[in-house]
Amino acid sequence: MPQRERYLFICTNRRKDDDPRGSCAAKGSEKIADELRVALGKLGANKRVRACKSSCLDMCETGVSILVEPDHVFYGRVKSEDVEEIARATAEGRVVERLVVREPEKS
């Protein structure tokens, strides 16, 4: 299998329930990872884009987190309702701007 154009790394890290940082798995990331695989398959994009479960991406505070590579774009607060849009945009080489987590401006 040749290297794909893009990879979606979905954090599925699970912490203890009492951890104040929470975890992406507790927020539904495992389901979202499965939904992304299905959505990419329906688009016929699964040979160009791969959705992969990942361990911690250190973005817990942003809810379910996804890293898009090689674009090096982080999505945060991802919900099931966003899956189709993410799959389509990634297959087309676009970014879903409303989900991008940006670094705070340095003063």
Side-chain angles (χ1 to χ4, degrees):
M1 172 69 61
Q3 187 176 19
R4 290 176 171 91
E5 294 169 21
R6 286 186 171 70
Y7 292 85
L8 295 165
F9 293 99
I10 304 103
C11 177
T12 58
N13 188 53
R14 184 174 298 278
R15 291 193 177 93
K16 293 180 181 179
D17 291 339
D18 62 347
D19 191 305
R21 294 172 292 177
S23 68
C24 290
K27 296 171 187 169
S29 64
E30 292 165 331
K31 179 181 176 216
I32 288 172
D34 294 339
E35 291 171 343
L36 271 168
R37 283 194 192 104
V38 170
L40 290 167
K42 285 181 181 176
L43 291 171
N46 51 351
K47 293 203 179 348
R48 294 186 336 269
V49 179
R50 175 148 170 100
C52 308
K53 292 181 179 178
S54 169
S55 61
C56 188
L57 296 172
D58 287 329
M59 300 291 286
C60 310
E61 66 279 2
T62 68
V64 174
S65 303
I66 298 175
L67 172 61
V68 183
E69 289 294 358
D71 304 317
H72 201 64
V73 171
F74 272 105
Y75 291 145
R77 300 166 301 283
V78 176
K79 302 199 178 325
S80 287
E81 301 82 48
D82 303 315
V83 166
E84 296 291 329
E85 184 178 6
I86 292 169
R88 186 170 305 284
T90 306
E92 295 172 359
R94 295 183 295 106
V95 172
V96 181
E97 291 294 334
R98 67 182 179 79
L99 295 173
V100 173
V101 177
R102 306 214 187 273
E103 288 189 51
E105 301 254 341
K106 294 179 182 173
S107 48

